[in-house]
Structure formats: C-alpha cells, structure tokens
Amino acid sequence: MRFKLAIAAVMLASLVGCGGGGGGSSGSGSDSASCTPTMANPQACNATMSLVLVDGAGAALAQLSPDRAGTLVATVKNWDGKPVVNTVVSFSTTDQVKLVPASGTATTDANGVARIGLPAGANAGGFSATASASVKGSVLSASTSYAVKFPQLALSALVPEPARLQAGGNASISVSVTSDGQPYTAPLQVSFTSPCVSAGKAAIGSPVTTQNGVARASYSDRGCGVRDVITAAVTLGDTTVTQTGAIDVLPAAPGSLTFVASDTTNIALVGTGGAGRQEFATLRFRLFDTTGNPVSGTAVDFAFADREGAQASTTGGLRFNPASATSSADGTVTTLVTGGTIPTSVRVKATVRGTNPAISTLSNVLVVSTGVPVQSRFSLSTAIGNCEGWDYDQDECSIVTAQLADHFGNPAPDGTAVNFTTEGGNIQASCITGQLLESTTPLGQSTNSRQGPGSGMCSVKLRSANPRPTEPYTAPADVEPGKFSRRGRITVMAYALGEEDFHDDNGNNRCDNCDDLTGPEFLRPGVRTDVPKGHDLPRDIYRDDDESGTYTGGEPCVGPNASGRCNTPGDGKYNGVLRSPLQSGAAPTLYVSDQLVQFFSGREANFEFLSDKFTCPVGGAMTVRFHARDLNGNPMPAGSTIRVSALFGVVSAPVAPAEIKVNNYVLKVGNPTPQPVYEFVVGCPSSGSGRLMVELTTPVSKTTTTATRPINN
C-alpha cells in the first residue's frame, strides 16, 4: 500500500513539472503561460466564446425594429484571455430572417471578434441568436436572446390631384405613412388598387416605394367614368394597414360606333331553315368613347337601312329584335335579325341614342335566301383542262372548282359540303364552300377550298396518277363522226345535297300546286337534257365514264339505286323548301351534280402538217399550218410553247408570230376532242432552199419535241 502511494506521488509531480505541456495558441495568440487542468475543472485550458447584440454605436441592444437593426458580436479567446484570430464563426437565429452577409459566417479579427448584421424579420416576438466555432477540435458556442417589435403604422387620407378627373386624363394619388403621429421615414412599399383598375378601365402605378414617408402613384383613366374608390395598403411585419379614398372620373362622350361581326351572312327564308341554314343572324356592334375606350350603359337604337325611322320590319317581313340595346361593360350591343318570305339583301343601321350629330354605323350586307343549291345553278370547272399528267404523276395537275347557288341565284351558304369523284388519277374527297385555307382542314381530311367566305365556291386538287384510261388508240382521222378516242380523257364528277328547281310563273317565290307534274311551274322543262320530265330530278346520279349519256355497268352510282341500273326515278313532285303549301314529313334526299372532262396530256408532240410541200416565193411569204397532238391524239398540255424557225443557208427568215401558247381546253362530258390548227407566216429571202423547224416545249417537264421540213425542194 505504501508502495502504490509513492508511485502516484511521483506521477503527479511529473505532471506539475510539465505545466500542461501541449497548451499552444490558436492563430496569433501566445501561450507562454502554463495551464494545468484539474480534476475539479477539466475544461480550465479550453478557449471561450461570448455573444452580444449591439446597435450601431456599440451599445448593448435587446430589441430590434425595422428602422433599427443590430449587430451580433462574437468574441473568441484562449484560456488566458488572449484573442483567437482568423477563426470562422457561424451565426444563426430562430427568426426567419437573412443575416448580413447572407452566408451567416464571419472570421475573427486581431481581437478575436467576428461580427454579422441582424435585421428585424417579418414577425414580432422573442428570438434567440447563436454563434459557434471550432477551436483545436473543440466546438464553442454562445447564445443571446432578443426581441423584435414593429411600430404601429397609420395611413393618412388619400389625396387625389385633381380630385375631379376628365375622361382619359391622369391624376396623382398620394398617401403618408406615419407612426405615433410622426412620418415613418424608413422606405416601405405601398400598393394601390380600385374597382376600375380591376376592370381594366383605369391604370395605376403599384406598388410605390415611400420617400420620407410619402407614397405617390400615377392614376390613368381608361373609360372608368364613375366615382372610383382607391384603396392603399402597406404591410410591416405581419400587420397590414389600409386606407381608402375616392376620385371622381368624368365619363367620356360616345365617340364612335363600329360594326363587329355577324354570325352568318346568309339567312334562310322563314320556314326554309335546316341543317347549316339558320333563319336568323346575330349582329354585334361596339361603342367607344372619344378616348378609344369602350362605353357601357349607353342606349343604341336599330333600324333597317332601307327604312326611315325605327321600323322593326322591312320587305317581306324581315325583322330585328330588340329594337334597342344598352351597351355592356365592353361596349357591345347586339340585335337579332330574322328572315322574311322574300329573298332580299339588307343592312341594319345602329345609332347611339341622343347624340347630335348622330353617331351611327351600318352592318355588313345580309342575304336572305333559301341557301339550298339547285341543279340549274351547279357549275364545275377545272383550272387546267389539259394538264401535263399522262407521263408522270403531279401533286397538282389541276384545281377543280365547284360553284353552287340556290333558286334565287345566291351563293350556297358557307359550310355546304361538296363531294368529288374521278375516273382517273385521284382527287381530294370533298371541300366546304367558303373555306379559305387548306391549313384549316382537320388532320386526316382532304376538305379545303381556295375561295373565301360567301362565295358559294370551293376547290380541290386533282392529281395525275394511275389509273389513266388506256383503251385502244384511234387516230383522229379514223374516228367516226360524233365519236372520239377516250385515251387520256378523265371524267370528273362533283355532287352535293340540294333540291329541285321550278319556274316561278307568278313571281311569288313559291312553287304553287307542285304536287305533281301537271303543275305548270314544275312541268316547265329544265336546263338538263337528261331530265325529260321538267324539273323532277331522278334519285340516282352516276359518273359518265364512257360519256355515253346513259348509265353503263361499272360506272359509280350515287343514290338508292333501287334497280341496280342507277335509274331510280323522281317522285313527280316538287320537294324543295319553297313548296306551297308546305310538305309534311321529310322530303327525299336529292343530289345536284355536274361533270367535266379532264385531259391527262402527254409531253411528246406529234406534228401533222396540212401541206406536204413548202414553197417560199422570193420576196414573198409562206404560211405554215399544222396540228400538234400528244400520243393519244389529245391537245398538248396547256401553256406549251410552240415556235417556228426557217433557215436559208446561214440566213434566218423572219417568222410571225414569235410563239404560240397551247390553249386551256375545258370540256363537258361528250364534247369532242378539240383539234386546233397552229399557223405561222414565214418571210421569204431573195432566193435559195431552206429548212423549216417546228419546236414545242411543255410547261412542266420542259420536254421539247421538234420536226423539220425542207423548203423550196
């Protein structure tokens, strides 16, 4: 036991002699003195940290406010009180606020001090700030508590300048921010709004930053025209203070009335409406003041332009309702026009009530008609009747256009569908009248048009492709009278739902007593040679591929085709919408149609000269006449260029005309193939023999075919 005590005494004496041994400094501090930890205080040799909150003058601070920020000061020292320098100190706070700098860290200076800015946050209350650092592997920390308090703010009365604002004018809106009756000079953002601003009838600069406690906003009238209550609001911390004030905005006088649109330009006669044919049109006008802003709450009166005063009806019982309307918030007024019993065109006049001179405008023209296409007014055409389509495929060999009109000659309404079918090549399936751009066609459909709204027209592409009619070739000279070779001739048909026509003997715009074929208005022969019984249309139509004028097996048939021979007859009655008396029950479906012949012309020409010998008299002139046909005996492609030249030795003879363009040939079904003769005149030189050359170049493939003949041989 005595031995153990002796050993312990020796070890304790050794530790005291060492004076703490490894107690070196951190940074630039000195550790010349010795430090000895004891069992009672084992941390005696550790560094220390303190944290205080001070104001800008360095005085202790316990409370922050928006206009009084603080600084957190952390001091790090060794055990002997000497500073720990160049050590990173991290700061944090329980308040949701960004420290300055936002990194939340600072480095101790030569005095062992690190500082960071602490502003007031957005919430009032008590909070705690903490600083921490690591010195020689030991983590030091210190905390301090502080409070955040916000001043009680107030807003003064709003001051508009001027208080009474002219229409379209500008005003200044000012408000003062105070605390305890004194201007609150710290910059704050003040927001402004009002009912007219929310409605888009006024504009105000918001938010605005205060200067020396005053916020000024610019107010601009855009058609408010009433007493506008303005609300100002300022937020400090979690408290928002508001104040209201009013500015009187004078209404602007009506300045202009414009016609905006009509939902349709075609109105069906009363009792004739149906799918795609409405018996009314909604007209929309818009009223603006002298500053260009919409005017609301103003009465506008309507009248027909062909009538004096505010008459609500015109020719044939055409009417509108209401006779007057009050403009809405966006300045819009509307009226509804309904069709009468007589086809006509009309405009509606709108006038702002009580204006002197009167402020008025006219609508677009409204057409009142049946809108149902009839057979006698169905027309089909092709842009290039002899396109260069025999030898190769063209995406657009030609454009085929259908034009439709009703009994009164008015264009079929926009949206009328027209179907197409072709014997050769391929054609887009349908188009819609009045549809302008191909880009409006739904994906996967071929419905398009190149004519605009209200035209009653629409167009589709015809593409040259197989099949191409290739029946045995017959030379033009061998074709029997009244017949022709069908090689390269394509029948194209277009059709639409329509109605029968009639001849209006008494001019009452109705088909009277048209229950059977004995009615004189229905019996009168129509324009179609294939309708022998007046206007009574057969229920079937067919594409006349062989151009025989009668149905041949294999030709496409559209209709009920009850017999299988595409010859379902009409019912002997007029079934149109203008029947008098009106027919009960649904009328049978009728098709109106038209057909044409399209040439797919070849690119290589065959020349047939009308003279076997060419003689050019000295000093005179020689006429050259010839046919130019493709390999099928059809016209060369439209737009092909034909030139003739004559050379006598090295001398070129004058030729007139310089060139001839091949015409565009558009044929009806059954029309014979044209056989144009091309004629040139050659001026003859003084003497000698020569050489005649004919040259034809096609417009698309630029294929050139030539033929030569001797002169004076």
Side-chain angles (χ1 to χ4, degrees):
M1 182 66 175
R2 290 179 181 175
F3 177 76
K4 291 181 180 179
L5 290 174
I7 294 296
V10 172
M11 293 178 64
L12 180 59
S14 299
L15 287 171
V16 172
C18 290
S25 65
S26 173
S28 61
S30 173
D31 258 358
S32 59
S34 298
C35 176
T36 302
T38 64
M39 296 183 68
N41 187 11
Q43 307 297 328
C45 297
N46 286 354
T48 61
M49 174 184 283
S50 63
L51 179 65
V52 294
L53 178 62
V54 300
D55 61 14
L61 187 63
Q63 182 175 286
L64 303 179
S65 64
D67 55 349
R68 191 181 186 189
T71 300
L72 290 172
V73 179
T75 304
V76 184
K77 294 182 178 180
N78 276 319
W79 65 273
D80 56 358
K82 293 182 178 180
V84 177
V85 303
N86 201 32
T87 294
V88 176
V89 179
S90 298
F91 297 87
S92 63
T93 176
T94 56
D95 192 6
Q96 299 297 319
V97 64
K98 286 187 177 181
L99 301 176
V100 182
S103 64
T105 60
T107 303
T108 56
D109 58 15
N111 297 316
V113 175
R115 294 177 174 83
I116 198 164
L118 176 61
N123 302 299
F127 303 98
S128 176
T130 301
S132 61
S134 177
V135 179
K136 289 187 176 181
S138 297
V139 177
L140 308 178
S141 66
S143 300
T144 186
S145 298
Y146 66 96
V148 175
K149 183 179 180 180
F150 295 102
Q152 296 296 317
L153 299 183
L155 291 176
S156 69
L158 273 66
V159 180
E161 296 180 2
R164 191 175 177 85
L165 183 63
Q166 294 294 326
N170 298 314
S172 172
I173 310 296
S174 61
V175 65
S176 298
V177 183
T178 62
S179 177
D180 297 329
Q182 300 297 318
Y184 188 79
T185 58
L188 293 174
Q189 285 197 332
V190 180
S191 62
F192 297 85
T193 189
S194 75
C196 281
V197 170
S198 299
K201 295 186 175 183
I204 193 167
S206 179
V208 177
T209 301
T210 59
Q211 294 182 355
N212 296 321
V214 179
R216 289 185 175 84
S218 176
Y219 179 97
S220 300
D221 174 45
R222 293 180 179 174
C224 182
V226 296
R227 184 178 177 85
D228 196 14
V229 178
I230 301 172
T231 300
V234 63
T235 299
L236 186 60
D238 51 6
T239 302
T240 298
V241 180
T242 61
Q243 182 64 277
T244 60
I247 182 171
D248 292 319
V249 184
L250 300 179
S256 64
L257 183 63
T258 62
F259 173 68
V260 178
S262 172
D263 60 350
T264 182
T265 57
N266 294 82
I267 306 175
L269 291 173
V270 62
T272 70
R277 305 189 319 277
Q278 61 190 51
E279 298 181 14
F280 59 87
T282 301
L283 306 184
R284 187 156 54 97
F285 301 84
R286 199 171 182 197
L287 180 60
F288 297 91
D289 61 26
T290 53
T291 65
N293 295 311
V295 176
S296 61
T298 300
V300 176
D301 299 316
F302 303 106
F304 285 110
D306 62 346
R307 288 289 185 269
E308 294 294 334
Q311 297 186 31
S313 64
T314 186
T315 304
L318 197 66
R319 303 182 63 84
F320 58 75
N321 185 47
S324 64
T326 300
S327 58
S328 62
D330 65 350
T332 298
V333 290
T334 60
T335 190
L336 188 73
V337 178
T338 55
T341 59
I342 297 177
T344 185
S345 59
V346 69
R347 289 177 184 262
V348 172
K349 182 179 181 180
T351 305
V352 181
R353 185 181 299 174
T355 54
N356 187 16
I359 297 175
S360 62
T361 190
L362 293 174
S363 72
N364 285 351
V365 173
L366 299 174
V367 176
V368 184
S369 191
T370 67
V372 183
V374 295
Q375 180 61 53
S376 61
R377 299 185 185 273
F378 193 114
S379 179
L380 190 65
S381 63
T382 180
I384 307 175
N386 41 319
C387 64
E388 192 174 346
W390 180 262
D391 296 292
Y392 67 100
D393 299 341
Q394 277 200 68
D395 178 64
E396 186 179 299
C397 202
S398 186
I399 297 294
V400 179
T401 299
Q403 184 169 342
L404 295 76
D406 64 16
H407 170 80
F408 301 102
N410 301 127
D414 295 346
T416 301
V418 183
N419 297 95
F420 293 84
T421 177
T422 180
E423 176 189 5
N426 63 78
I427 195 168
Q428 290 175 295
S430 64
C431 64
I432 301 295
T433 57
Q435 193 171 355
L436 185 61
L437 300 175
E438 294 188 12
S439 59
T440 61
T441 302
L443 185 65
Q445 297 184 19
S446 61
T447 302
N448 62 83
S449 174
R450 294 193 176 186
Q451 281 70 37
S455 65
M457 303 168 65
C458 66
S459 303
V460 294
K461 285 183 181 180
L462 174 66
R463 300 179 177 94
S464 57
N466 287 332
R468 295 173 170 90
T470 56
E471 67 180 35
Y473 174 70
T474 303
D478 300 330
V479 175
E480 298 179 22
K483 295 185 178 181
F484 44 82
S485 171
R486 295 212 67 257
R487 286 175 61 93
R489 288 174 65 110
I490 311 295
T491 300
V492 177
M493 181 175 76
Y495 59 95
L497 289 175
E499 67 178 7
E500 295 165 325
D501 207 350
F502 67 97
H503 183 76
D504 190 10
D505 282 335
N506 59 11
N508 69 347
N509 303 304
R510 297 286 174 175
C511 186
D512 303 307
N513 301 317
C514 291
D515 288 338
D516 55 51
L517 294 178
T518 62
E521 293 188 336
F522 192 48
L523 179 63
R524 186 182 178 108
V527 296
R528 281 182 55 166
T529 57
D530 60 338
V531 184
K533 295 182 179 181
H535 293 283
D536 190 30
L537 293 181
R539 296 295 176 262
D540 296 330
I541 59 173
Y542 59 91
R543 193 183 69 211
D544 194 3
D545 290 351
D546 64 3
E547 304 183 55
S548 64
T550 58
Y551 177 75
T552 303
E555 293 175 337
C557 178
V558 179
N561 194 14
S563 65
R565 297 296 302 167
C566 202
N567 60 358
T568 306
D571 61 359
K573 300 178 181 180
Y574 171 73
N575 298 292
V577 296
L578 296 175
R579 177 187 176 114
S580 178
L582 295 176
Q583 176 178 324
S584 60
T589 299
L590 294 174
Y591 292 102
V592 292
S593 63
D594 198 11
Q595 304 187 45
L596 58 77
V597 171
Q598 174 76 43
F599 288 108
F600 281 172
S601 298
R603 61 185 176 182
E604 294 184 356
N606 292 324
F607 297 103
E608 180 184 341
F609 292 93
L610 301 186
S611 175
D612 294 331
K613 186 175 182 181
F614 294 98
T615 301
C616 201
V618 176
M622 175 184 69
T623 299
V624 179
R625 302 173 74 242
F626 58 89
H627 295 290
R629 308 183 184 96
D630 71 359
L631 74 169
N632 296 317
N634 295 324
M636 293 301 294
S640 295
T641 303
I642 304 175
R643 295 184 178 89
V644 170
S645 60
L647 188 65
F648 293 83
V650 295
V651 178
S652 295
V655 178
E659 64 180 30
I660 294 177
K661 296 285 188 180
V662 175
N663 287 338
N664 178 29
Y665 295 102
V666 181
L667 305 184
K668 286 296 184 182
V669 171
N671 288 166
T673 301
Q675 302 294 329
V677 175
Y678 302 103
E679 183 174 300
F680 291 82
V681 176
V682 179
C684 302
S686 57
S687 63
S689 61
R691 197 77 179 166
L692 175 73
M693 184 174 73
V694 178
E695 177 183 275
L696 185 147
T697 302
T698 59
V700 178
S701 66
K702 305 301 180 184
T703 300
T704 298
T705 309
T706 60
T708 61
R709 292 291 185 275
I711 302 175
N712 293 336
N713 280 352

